[in-house]
Amino acid sequence: EAQVTQNPRYLITVTGKKLTVTCSQNMNHEYMSWYRQDPGLGLRQIYYSMNVEVTDKGDVPEGYKVSRKEKRNFPLILESPSPNQTSLYFCATSPGGGPSSYNEQFFGPGTRLTVL
Amino acid sequence: QQQVKQSPQSLIVQKGGISIINCAYENTAFDYFPWYQQFPGKGPALLIAIRPDVSEKKEGRFTISFNKSAKQFSLHIMDSQPGDSATYFCAASRRRDDKIIFGKGTRLHILP
């Protein structure tokens, strides 16, 4: 079954404690992306990757890091989380050139993060 | 230049009615306009999408109308059903720099 998995699904942490949210896909998609969803602000892109070892900033990259060492995995790293990073996070994947090449994005189930 | 403005924020429609959600953009470099549907507790999923070389695209009860000169596009849901109750996001992307920008979303509730 084609799917995008995220772990953990829920996380409560404290300010400054490094954390990683994993994203994995089994569809052999080149494009992967991270979004955060906040009430009244919609979906905002954090980082995206067109392929292995290629990453680019989205609209809200501050406070986040990513890496793309393998095609199937795209972890999101918060090295020193702060309360303003409390949000619902989604990983998404897309074949070929990504959404800008008229491709559908497939979203994971989301990770709800609370930073105290 | 980067924004996609979506309205209304929330919408209540009677079962069988027409739901209309509007989006406007500023950057004429955008060349792909998808709509995503999100149910509570789930990730968004592609509903329908249009390119600017056509003015309308219909898939079942869902239609996108696109007005290139006004830089506006809208989603029409005909014969709205309670199962259509969800949050809808419009988006715009451009090939030049692989960017995609989402609207802020519309929470749609269809009354049974």
Side-chain angles (χ1 to χ4, degrees):
Chain A
E1 179 191 353
Q3 59 182 356
V4 180
T5 56
Q6 293 180 228
N7 282 294
R9 293 291 313 281
Y10 303 90
L11 179 60
I12 300 174
T13 189
V14 295
T15 299
K17 187 176 181 182
K18 182 178 178 180
L19 67 92
T20 298
V21 183
T22 64
C23 174
S24 182
Q25 52 105 354
N26 63 359
M27 293 174 278
N28 202 36
H29 285 172
E30 287 82 6
Y31 181 96
M32 297 185 75
S33 181
W34 277 103
Y35 297 88
R36 60 178 290 174
Q37 183 176 5
D38 302 288
L41 296 178
L43 287 160
R44 293 180 293 167
Q45 192 173 43
I46 304 171
Y47 269 96
Y48 63 97
S49 169
M50 295 296 292
N51 215 324
V52 176
E53 301 293 357
V54 180
T55 62
D56 276 295
K57 295 178 181 179
D59 293 316
V60 289
E62 294 78 19
Y64 304 95
K65 285 178 59 177
V66 293
S67 68
R68 188 90 181 272
K69 293 185 171 59
E70 307 167 275
K71 197 174 188 179
R72 63 180 289 126
N73 296 320
F74 190 44
L76 178 69
I77 303 158
L78 285 72
E79 296 216 323
S80 184
S82 62
N84 65 13
Q85 292 178 297
T86 292
S87 187
L88 178 59
Y89 290 87
F90 288 101
C91 178
T93 76
S94 186
S100 60
S101 298
Y102 316 132
N103 293 311
E104 175 179 359
Q105 285 196 89
F106 296 86
F107 284 80
T111 294
R112 187 166 291 280
L113 172 65
T114 301
V115 183
L116 302 174
Chain B
Q1 280 277 317
Q2 289 278 66
Q3 279 189 324
V4 176
K5 295 180 180 178
Q6 183 172 346
S7 63
Q9 271 191 307
S10 62
L11 181 61
I12 299 174
V13 175
Q14 291 280 353
K15 178 182 175 182
I18 302 173
S19 304
I20 302 173
I21 304 170
N22 300 300
C23 284
Y25 63 98
E26 297 172 351
N27 193 329
T28 55
F30 288 134
D31 57 5
Y32 179 61
F33 302 90
W35 285 88
Y36 282 80
Q37 180 187 54
Q38 183 183 31
F39 294 107
K42 302 289 186 184
L46 181 67
L47 181 64
I48 187 172
I50 196 168
R51 301 186 197 186
D53 51 347
V54 297
S55 60
E56 185 176 283
K57 183 172 182 181
K58 185 175 181 180
E59 290 184 1
R61 297 185 292 109
F62 301 91
T63 300
I64 301 178
S65 297
F66 186 82
N67 186 330
K68 191 173 182 178
S69 61
K71 291 185 282 186
Q72 294 174 347
F73 57 110
S74 59
L75 176 69
H76 296 239
I77 306 175
M78 311 300 287
D79 186 27
S80 299
Q81 298 297 312
D84 297 330
S85 296
T87 299
Y88 292 81
F89 294 97
C90 63
S93 67
R94 57 186 190 228
R95 301 190 74 168
R96 187 181 67 197
D97 56 6
D98 305 311
K99 286 280 194 186
I100 181 165
I101 307 293
F102 283 84
K104 294 184 178 181
T106 296
R107 184 171 289 187
L108 174 65
H109 182 65
I110 307 301
L111 297 173

